[in-house]
Amino acid sequence: MARYVGRENVAKRLEPLAGQGGRTVYAGGSARIETADETLTVTPPFGLDHEESYDRLELGPLLEALAREHTVAAILVRRGGYAVGVFEGERLVASKVGTRFVKGRHKKGGSSSNRFRRRREEQERELLDAATATARAVLEPYRDRIEYLALGGDRGAAAHVADQLPWLKDRHLERVFDVPDPRQRVLERLPYDLYAAELSEEPARR
């Protein structure tokens, strides 16, 4: 089963393999590492352009991809709050967070339920409008430098905010990050997940 592992931990996982016999295949954005005991497949978060097969363990292109730094925008939105930031490598260089109260679900029916629903929809719009305004203010100065966009929290809400900045359209990372209520500390901890690689491990077939 695949799991996300921090890039430093991936490098530590690969270190014992140095000098062993085996085979390495780079294809489709992943590296497949085959040894006598196991097969590892590693997919770096920001892609892996190298395409080649080796009748040995060739880890250089993979380690280089994992170590490479990028400029990444982050838009995190959940009911009641949002956070927007720009990372240069793992350093947060610009950010702003905000809160907006959004009511929970109403369990009763009737006219009171309709009033509640309308008020809740109004609060959700206010949240998205505030998050969008913040995203424009924080991200626009870095428009020419941002390589990737990370979304987190509520997928639909974060995507809605991103859609209001059309220039981000082709920069989305595929992974949507599961985060608690967006706060400054949540943004500051995000780089570990941003740079985590997808890793799967299989024992060798005997």
Side-chain angles (χ1 to χ4, degrees):
M1 180 179 295
R3 57 196 174 98
Y4 287 99
V5 179
R7 59 177 174 177
E8 292 182 0
N9 291 329
V10 173
K12 290 177 182 177
R13 176 69 175 83
L14 298 177
E15 281 176 5
L17 304 182
Q20 292 187 25
R23 184 168 183 264
T24 315
V25 179
Y26 288 87
S30 298
R32 181 179 174 88
I33 303 157
E34 302 172 4
T35 72
D37 298 320
E38 62 184 343
T39 296
L40 307 179
T41 302
V42 183
T43 305
F46 301 106
L48 180 58
D49 295 332
H50 192 71
E51 301 261 341
E52 189 64 76
S53 296
Y54 301 90
D55 290 325
R56 64 181 188 276
L57 294 190
E58 179 54 67
L59 304 178
L62 172 58
L63 294 175
E64 289 173 10
L66 291 172
R68 195 168 297 130
E69 305 280 79
H70 300 278
T71 301
V72 184
I75 297 176
L76 313 178
V77 185
R78 291 182 69 90
R79 187 180 72 196
Y82 56 86
V84 180
V86 178
F87 296 90
E88 291 182 348
E90 298 189 13
R91 186 167 63 97
L92 182 62
V93 296
S95 66
K96 187 173 182 181
V97 301
T99 59
R100 284 289 190 282
F101 178 72
V102 177
K103 291 178 179 292
R105 299 290 180 182
H106 190 64
K107 297 180 180 179
K108 297 180 180 180
S111 59
S112 65
S113 177
N114 290 333
R115 287 195 301 272
F116 185 94
R117 176 178 52 80
R118 288 193 296 270
R119 179 55 182 151
R120 187 175 189 276
E121 290 173 349
E122 180 182 334
Q123 290 171 342
E124 288 175 342
R125 285 194 298 271
E126 291 172 353
L127 168 67
L128 294 176
D129 288 347
T132 298
T134 297
R136 287 198 178 101
V138 173
L139 303 184
E140 284 285 353
Y142 296 86
R143 180 172 182 159
D144 296 333
R145 293 156 58 184
I146 290 171
E147 302 168 71
Y148 298 98
L149 170 65
L151 302 181
D154 183 295
R155 178 192 293 264
H160 174 87
V161 173
D163 287 346
Q164 310 313 304
L165 286 74
W167 56 272
L168 288 171
K169 180 179 179 181
D170 298 324
R171 309 185 200 189
H172 289 220
L173 292 173
E174 184 175 341
R175 182 183 179 190
V176 176
F177 295 86
D178 184 16
V179 297
D181 289 344
R183 297 290 186 268
Q184 186 71 22
R185 65 180 180 274
V186 173
L187 262 183
E188 292 169 353
R189 289 198 298 259
L190 191 61
Y192 178 89
D193 291 322
L194 283 177
Y195 284 90
E198 188 174 357
L199 171 67
S200 64
E201 303 166 285
E202 303 173 34
R205 296 179 181 178
R206 302 298 183 182

